[in-house]
Amino acid sequence: MSVELARRVAAAVHAALDLPISPEQAQVRPSRAAGVDYQSNVAMSLARATGRDARDIAADLVARLDAADLVEPPTVTGPGFVNLVLTPGCLATSAAALLADPRLGVPPVEHPRRIAIDYSSPNVAKEMHVGHLRSTVLGDAISRMLRFAGHEVVPHNHIGDWGTPFGMLIEHLADEGLGDTPAPLQDLNAFYQEARKRFDAEPDFAARARRRVVLLQGGHQETLTLWRRLVDDSARHFEQVYALLGIALTPADVHGESFYNPFLADLVKQLSTKRLVTVSGGAICAFPEGFTNRDGDPQAMVVRKRGGGYGYAATDLATARYWIEERGADDLLYVVGAPQSQHFAMVFAVLRAAGWLTAGHHAEHIAFGSVLGEDGRTIRTRAGTSVKLVDLLVEAIDHAGRIAEHREGLTDAQRAEVARAVGIGAVKYADLSHDRRKDYAFAWDRMLAMDGNTAVYLQYANCRVHSLLRRAGSPLAASTPIHPTHPRERALLLTLLQFPAAFTAAVRDHAPHRLCTHLHATAAAFSAFYAACPVLSADTRSTRSSRLALSALTSRVLTLGLSLLGIEAPERI
Ligand code: ARG
């Protein structure tokens, strides 16, 4: 609704001042606090730009506004606010349209793009830790939102399955005779640490590990078999975590660093032909424009190391080229922690200079902050090691189990299902509801609070609607008229009508927290409505059915919204 109103206000500005502005610039916002439905601040901005009086501009604008089919005659208040109140007719038609629309008012994008999105991307032979939680959960939610918006989304899991650490890992595996045991490695972290310890303490082992790297890069059969073994065991571990989290990444989405090996030699050749690299200290480096180091000298990006090996940056250049040239991606998105910002900025600069990334493409590092412990420092176990993701998720389900424990009329299996949906939902939502660019602190009581901006608050509101609908008996017709009478009923409907705008803003900025904020506002508006307006015992039959339809719509918004975040919305908890 606000989108259409914004369009009309923009047109009025054009007519009144001969100034073309976008609907965005019309600044139409919901404004229940001002006692109206929507308000536009555009007159104040235009006053600053034109030097005219804001109230004059607002008056002109109102005179030119062609929106009698949507709003009552607008008023101007304060320094030049334009106040808009929807007509009962408009409210009823908008509600009917929302009720009949499976997409709840969100139009599919006009120009769908093919988007390659890199997320999760953990490292082989190391268990996923909480740091990988953010990439996985954010990447999954962003993918779901982009897909719902109408884009073609191709995820790829850029697992770290190549590089010098594999020398020591393979050598240790061979020494332990673990290469031919059928049982998978149980504790990947411990295995990694043992190999590391030997590498640091035993010069002979370290020398063998270095030779192993050369064998691996040279395609030595036995070495490759051992390497495969490590990769497969790790992949199985990742899949367990994804299954527990309900993440839609599959083995087919894995394109690890090793996948791009065959492309690296040609990459360097092309960069040399394009004169984008120089030899510096024996290494082949790119010096993308605009990047300097601490001394103010051009910052090097190593493409090929002195010994002939390729590094992280080379792989990322080849990765981007692969997704653009072989897979026809329009957009490249990377959901990776903020410390890698400089790396991606440099990669994008080289890709642009090489002409691989053109003006028609869009590449973006979707950066995020860290997960902190309750003490505000990087989250650690009591022993001081990094927290394993699996342990954290099991603990979440355990905490949530206490919520389900006392529910009556549930079987044990149903209780376990509820605990899982609530526990995993809590962890994911805690991550998604914070602005991803900032750090956030992990706190069980806060993320499982029944009355905060939490998943369980939304899940619970949704369950209340389901219980209401069950008690109401007969199913609702999709054409049930909604005609709000009580102010809280009106407020709830206006919030529901805001869903498309909130969703659109969240996809545009790759900002799931904006969707969370809106869903929380929706659940809160429902609670306020439910406390003030009797539904099943409403005065008249038409009020009863109108309120039931409004409740059903609330549940649809919450269920769709949660599913776009990758969170379950059970009918009972
Ligand atoms: N494996 C890396 C890490 O754990 C993240 C990889 C991100 N993706 C990329 N294309 N560089 O830090």
Side-chain angles (χ1 to χ4, degrees), residues 51-281:
R52 276 184 59 192
D53 180 56
R55 285 191 64 97
D56 275 358
I57 297 178
D60 272 4
L61 197 163
V62 163
R64 300 290 192 123
L65 184 67
D66 177 11
D69 55 330
L70 305 177
V71 291
E72 308 284 2
T75 56
V76 175
T77 52
F81 296 122
V82 174
N83 301 311
L84 305 165
V85 173
L86 300 182
T87 63
C90 169
L91 216 48
T93 2
S94 312
L98 198 60
L99 203 54
D101 183 359
R103 295 183 57 88
L104 293 171
V106 179
V109 283
E110 271 172 55
H111 305 289
R113 297 178 69 86
R114 179 177 291 174
I115 304 174
I117 178 168
D118 175 336
Y119 71 94
S120 193
S121 306
N123 300 315
V124 162
K126 282 194 196 163
E127 284 194 38
M128 290 171 83
H129 57 77
V130 288
H132 291 118
L133 175 73
R134 294 214 82 180
S135 175
T136 307
V137 170
L138 278 164
D140 194 60
I142 291 170
S143 299
R144 288 170 194 262
M145 297 196 311
L146 287 166
R147 213 170 271 136
F148 183 70
H151 298 291
E152 184 189 347
V153 180
V154 192
H156 59 112
N157 194 353
H158 194 87
I159 62 173
D161 63 357
W162 202 253
T164 41
F166 283 91
M168 66 176 197
L169 291 168
I170 292 169
E171 206 53 38
H172 187 49
L173 194 69
D175 282 0
E176 298 285 300
L178 290 169
D180 355 274
T181 51
L185 291 174
Q186 284 308 326
D187 192 338
L188 290 161
N189 275 0
F191 181 81
Y192 186 95
Q193 277 150 19
E194 283 161 24
R196 178 88 242 174
K197 215 190 278 157
R198 291 187 63 194
F199 187 83
D200 293 337
E202 303 171 28
D204 162 61
F205 178 80
R208 282 194 284 131
R210 286 199 191 90
R211 278 200 297 278
R212 254 319 167 184
V213 179
V214 179
L215 286 175
L216 180 65
Q217 286 171 341
H220 179 248
Q221 259 325 311
E222 188 203 310
T223 303
L224 280 176
T225 309
L226 291 167
W227 168 76
R228 248 294 121 220
R229 174 67 205 272
L230 286 169
V231 175
D232 290 348
D233 280 4
S234 305
R236 253 192 304 273
H237 162 72
F238 301 150
E239 267 149 47
Q240 274 171 10
V241 174
Y242 297 150
L244 199 57
L245 271 174
I247 295 294
L249 278 175
T250 70
D253 301 321
V254 172
H255 288 73
E257 293 178 15
S258 66
F259 175 83
Y260 304 99
N261 285 346
F263 305 101
L264 297 172
D266 183 62
L267 175 92
V268 177
K269 202 167 122 213
Q270 298 282 332
L271 290 174
S272 320
T273 315
K274 292 174 191 277
R275 302 190 171 281
L276 291 170
V277 284
T278 44
V279 178
S280 167

Side-chain angles (χ1 to χ4, degrees), residues 118 121-123 132 158 160 257 312 316 334 336 340 343-344:
D118 175 336
S121 306
N123 300 315
H132 291 118
H158 194 87
E257 293 178 15
Y312 189 61
D316 264 327
Y334 298 86
V336 183
Q340 295 192 35
H343 163 73
F344 282 109

